[in-house]
Amino acid sequence: MSSSDRSRTVGDNRTYEVRTYGCQMNVHDSERLSGLLEGAGYVRAPEGADGDADVVVFNTCAVRENADNKLYGNLGRLAPMKTKRPGMQIAVGGCLAQKDRETIVKRAPWVDVVFGTHNIGKLPVLLERARVQEEAQIEIAESLEAFPSTLPTRRESAYAAWVSISVGCNNTCTFCIVPALRGKEKDRRPGDILSEIEALVAEGVSEITLLGQNVNAYGSDIGDREAFSKLLRACGAVEGLERVRFTSPHPRDFTDDVIAAMAETPNVMPQLHMPLQSGSDTILKAMRRSYRQDRYLGIIDKVRDAIPHAAISTDIIVGFPGETEEDFEETIRVVREARFAQAFTFQYSKRPGTPAAEMDGQIPKEVVQERYMRLSALQEEISWDENKKQVGRTLEVMVAEGEGRKDGATHRLSGRAPDNRLVHFTEPEEEVRPGDVVTVEITYAAPHHLLAEGPTRKVRRTRAGDAWDRRNAAPAAKPAGVLLGLPTVGVPAPLPAATGGCAVG
């Protein structure tokens, strides 16, 4: 390293790229990482940089299958680029970094920085230290150093935003390693949450998604069992806040006061993503899920009684150790009865460090695959039937950015209905911006989207659309976005919507 390289200050207009894998918590953490780097003087690399940046940050997931292979494959592709580009740095953070620590640098010695889930605020300092000392910096904190929401943020959307209300998880699900990597639940103070929401709304944000590993357990750390329902109602009093969503709740903590708050707070959207994981009481017990089939279906009945048009989605794991055909049929029965608008289904695979990985009764892959295909086919049929019920309804759709991949060819725009269904609609003559709201009539339904093929009935220009205009008028480079490893629900556009925390809520 030359003396001029050593004398460079932090950032010094160096470019950066953040690659994110996993759940919505990781996506939100990446917004913080981007904000930290830009605050330290780094500049976001242009879209499509594909590693051609001075600093490449991997924000990793330890939950998804083959997560480590994916990471080391990507690191391997960057090794020759780094050799040819003096001064380039690579950092690895997130859940896999928290779990594997020194292993990462042993397997990929060209990595400069390894940091964990509890100390993301240290990234700029660690990068500078690695540059000055010319050796890898590995720093993994065992507990949260600073609540992520206190850190600078580069929001991915001008009109919709994540708001973290808690971090960590107190559950002990046997298939999940998240509590070991994210730590025990820690709640933010309600006043701090509302202050952040009010500040976002003042900037033009009109939709927020309350985020937590187990979002409706909020209050356990501060000693108030009704804190989450109170927070939802408080969001209803924030002037200018049009849409409130949350992800992901746990059935154990889903209480009647939360249902009442959802039903009685106008800007809380008629949408619920609540992981089922299995319909079999035997498997739920083996998973250490603290509810049973009747409890789960009872919650859905109460939600639909209070909010008839609510769209309910879920997560399901197929092929958990010990799952018999009878157990699987119980899951099928629950899916038929619950009639989910959408279900994110996952084939069970071992996660090192989890109790389930050592259980007897591991299911052969071909059996898991066959059950998965049966469940997917059933849910596809149900999703289509439920979407057909939307035909003829008039809906307010918040225009989104990047939701419709074929919009340019079809001369359509896309957005989200209040229940978070994806709607493609005919582009109106009047200018419409992401964040604006259009009123349309649904004319056609497919399993995963709705169409409004007639003329737009109304266009409402919003402060959120104005915020999008301001952002895109700025001279800053166009955001490169982040890469996701999971499908999502109820998430600020342009990001796809996330399932429950790491798909394990």
Side-chain angles (χ1 to χ4, degrees), residues 104-302:
I104 293 173
V105 173
K106 288 179 181 177
R107 291 185 61 178
W110 55 92
V111 169
D112 298 276
V113 171
V114 179
F115 63 102
T117 59
H118 298 309
N119 64 334
I120 64 175
K122 289 287 187 66
L123 177 59
V125 172
L126 293 172
L127 288 168
E128 183 67 4
R129 191 185 300 164
R131 187 159 46 242
V132 171
Q133 297 182 5
E134 301 184 9
E135 63 181 12
Q137 301 296 308
I138 304 170
E139 187 167 313
I140 306 291
E142 297 302 327
S143 60
L144 194 67
E145 292 187 348
F147 204 94
S149 295
T150 64
L151 302 174
T153 305
R154 189 198 189 285
R155 301 279 180 179
E156 292 296 329
S157 170
Y159 50 89
W162 301 105
V163 174
S164 183
I165 69 171
S166 65
V167 295
C169 181
N170 293 338
N171 293 322
T172 59
C173 301
T174 54
F175 54 80
C176 181
I177 199 170
V178 169
L181 304 179
R182 291 278 181 178
K184 293 293 185 181
E185 182 178 323
K186 184 173 180 59
D187 296 335
R188 291 179 71 190
R189 295 174 60 88
D192 294 340
I193 297 169
L194 290 170
S195 292
E196 181 180 356
I197 292 172
E198 289 167 354
L200 288 167
V201 172
E203 294 171 4
V205 168
S206 61
E207 176 177 324
I208 61 104
T209 300
L210 302 175
L211 183 61
Q213 216 75 52
N214 182 9
V215 70
N216 61 323
Y218 176 74
S220 61
D221 183 49
I222 58 179
D224 184 353
R225 292 180 61 85
E226 295 189 353
F228 186 61
S229 62
K230 292 174 183 176
L231 181 61
L232 290 177
R233 292 182 185 278
C235 287
V238 178
E239 187 175 354
L241 180 57
E242 296 194 17
R243 295 186 173 190
V244 177
R245 306 186 191 277
F246 58 89
T247 193
S248 262
H250 193 292
R252 181 196 66 188
D253 303 299
F254 211 94
T255 49
D256 290 349
D257 60 297
V258 172
I259 297 172
M262 291 174 64
E264 297 166 9
T265 310
N267 62 358
V268 175
M269 294 294 96
Q271 173 222 337
L272 174 64
H273 181 82
M274 187 167 65
L276 168 66
Q277 306 302 9
S278 174
S280 163
D281 287 353
T282 300
I283 298 301
L284 287 172
K285 182 178 180 180
M287 289 177 167
R288 287 192 203 144
R289 302 288 286 180
S290 50
Y291 56 88
R292 299 295 178 258
Q293 180 188 113
D294 285 349
R295 161 73 173 156
Y296 187 94
L297 290 172
I299 293 170
I300 287 181
D301 287 342
K302 288 181 179 180

Side-chain angles (χ1 to χ4, degrees), residues 4-5 7-15 40-43 54 131:
S4 60
D5 282 334
S7 65
R8 295 175 94 175
T9 58
V10 175
D12 196 24
N13 291 323
R14 289 160 56 85
T15 58
Y42 293 83
V43 177
D54 295 303
R131 187 159 46 242

Side-chain angles (χ1 to χ4, degrees), residues 33-46:
L33 293 170
S34 296
L36 285 160
L37 291 170
E38 292 187 9
Y42 293 83
V43 177
R44 192 160 190 171

Side-chain angles (χ1 to χ4, degrees), residues 96-111:
L96 195 63
Q98 186 80 20
K99 181 172 76 75
D100 286 356
R101 308 182 183 215
E102 288 85 357
T103 303
I104 293 173
V105 173
K106 288 179 181 177
R107 291 185 61 178
W110 55 92
V111 169

